[in-house]
Amino acid sequence: TLPKDPTVEVKAGSEACWLFVKVEAENWPTFTGDAKISYAVKTGDGGWTQGDGTKIPANVYYRAVGATTADTTFKVLADDQVTVSENLTKEEVGTLKENQPKLTFTAYAVQKDGIADAATAWLKVPTT
């Protein structure tokens, strides 16, 4: 495993919001159909909810956050890691030199006041 600790922080004094994080995987390899290098977003109890792929893209995760009185940090990756399979070969590693895998995380917050659901809040996020 490779330790990776992307986080999203909501600052003290922030109003209640819908918090989103877009995860973009560039040059993310699979070798002969196997995900030999993988990651997972922290979902489930206390984690993020994945977009449904229609109203919110599938690579966007969200959560409702109440008004905060202290800086609050939310972890993005499950177990703070990227997993590398023991079956990854030396030849496969060599192919990664030209097209190195890259994960990019972009966070957005939309004030929750008057917005009842994440799909409606996502419409407020600039798409550029």
Side-chain angles (χ1 to χ4, degrees):
T1 60
L2 302 172
K4 299 292 177 198
D5 188 18
T7 58
V8 178
E9 183 177 48
V10 176
K11 294 300 226 173
S14 294
E15 297 293 326
C17 67
W18 290 101
L19 187 60
F20 299 92
V21 64
K22 182 194 288 185
V23 181
E24 296 173 284
E26 184 180 332
N27 298 324
W28 209 253
T30 56
F31 301 99
T32 61
D34 295 327
K36 293 185 179 177
I37 302 174
S38 62
Y39 66 92
V41 172
K42 180 182 167 118
T43 58
D45 190 32
W48 300 86
T49 300
Q50 184 174 14
D52 63 7
T54 57
K55 294 180 181 181
I56 300 174
N59 69 324
V60 174
Y61 298 79
Y62 64 91
R63 65 190 326 138
V65 177
T68 61
T69 58
D71 292 353
T72 306
T73 302
F74 301 96
K75 294 183 177 281
V76 178
L77 292 181
D79 300 321
D80 297 326
Q81 68 185 13
V82 171
T83 302
V84 179
S85 169
E86 63 185 25
N87 296 324
L88 185 67
T89 67
K90 183 177 181 178
E91 292 78 22
E92 291 168 333
V93 169
T95 66
L96 299 176
K97 290 179 183 177
E98 295 175 15
N99 295 307
Q100 292 185 359
K102 177 180 175 183
L103 286 175
T104 303
F105 303 90
T106 308
Y108 308 90
V110 176
Q111 189 170 344
K112 197 171 179 190
D113 187 34
I115 301 177
D117 60 80
T120 302
W122 181 248
L123 294 173
K124 307 283 186 190
V125 172
T127 56
T128 56

